[in-house]
Amino acid sequence: MASMSLFDLILALDFAGTQWVNAFANRAFILDVIGIIAATALLFIIGVAVMVVIAQRTAAARALFVAEVVGTLIIAYAISQFIGAVAFRERPFVRHASQIRQLVLKDAGEKSFPSDHATLAFALAIPAAAVVRRRWASVLFLIAASAVGLGR
């Protein structure tokens, strides 16, 4: 039996995870709604929550925090675009058309990995989670960003 390269193993595990998450699609209306919201609207909700965090900062802390968030967004997006250009991967509904249930319409020509939505969700959530005073809010930011990743 031929041994699998590390890259092939990672791709196999990635597809297995995709299949597991996708197995919930079209099974229950509420799960579909949650998945669609996570994939489409949750990034914007995280953005609004970050704006609330910004508004609650003092003037001096606000300017620094805005610079941190904007810098994080720019760097994360640039890295995401670079990885996508170097290691372009078709979307799962294109590559595995017979095995994937598609809930959200996307352009088949766009890259699959890394997800820009998930990248930007974490780029917003991590700085916000680091500065909010309540631990539950930090955890909520990270759970929301993870949900965007799962939804994508």
Side-chain angles (χ1 to χ4, degrees):
M1 187 155 137
S3 65
M4 189 181 272
S5 73
L6 179 60
F7 183 72
D8 290 335
L9 177 63
I10 290 169
L11 287 179
L13 290 173
D14 176 66
F15 183 59
T18 299
Q19 285 181 303
W20 182 80
V21 170
N22 190 254
F24 295 101
N26 293 328
R27 301 282 184 206
F29 176 75
I30 190 67
L31 290 178
D32 288 351
V33 169
I34 291 168
I36 291 168
I37 289 170
T40 59
L42 193 52
L43 175 60
F44 300 105
I45 295 168
I46 293 169
V48 169
V50 169
M51 286 188 232
V52 170
V53 172
I54 289 169
Q56 293 176 340
R57 313 288 293 161
T58 64
R62 184 178 306 134
L64 179 60
F65 182 64
V66 168
E68 289 171 352
V69 170
V70 170
T72 302
L73 285 168
I74 290 169
I75 291 167
Y77 188 72
I79 291 169
S80 174
Q81 293 304 300
F82 175 76
I83 293 170
V86 171
F88 181 85
R89 224 167 63 186
E90 292 177 311
R91 293 192 175 274
F93 68 85
V94 174
R95 182 176 207 130
H96 307 283
S98 65
Q99 299 167 303
I100 298 295
R101 295 179 201 97
Q102 184 181 358
L103 291 179
V104 178
L105 295 178
K106 292 299 295 177
D107 181 1
E110 292 178 358
K111 69 179 175 64
S112 169
F113 176 82
S115 164
D116 290 334
H117 277 71
T119 299
L120 296 177
F122 276 101
L124 286 169
I126 289 173
V131 300
V132 293
R133 292 191 179 126
R134 294 192 167 80
R135 178 172 241 181
W136 65 265
S138 295
V139 170
L140 193 57
F141 270 113
L142 298 177
I143 288 172
S146 297
V148 171
L150 282 172
R152 299 308 291 182

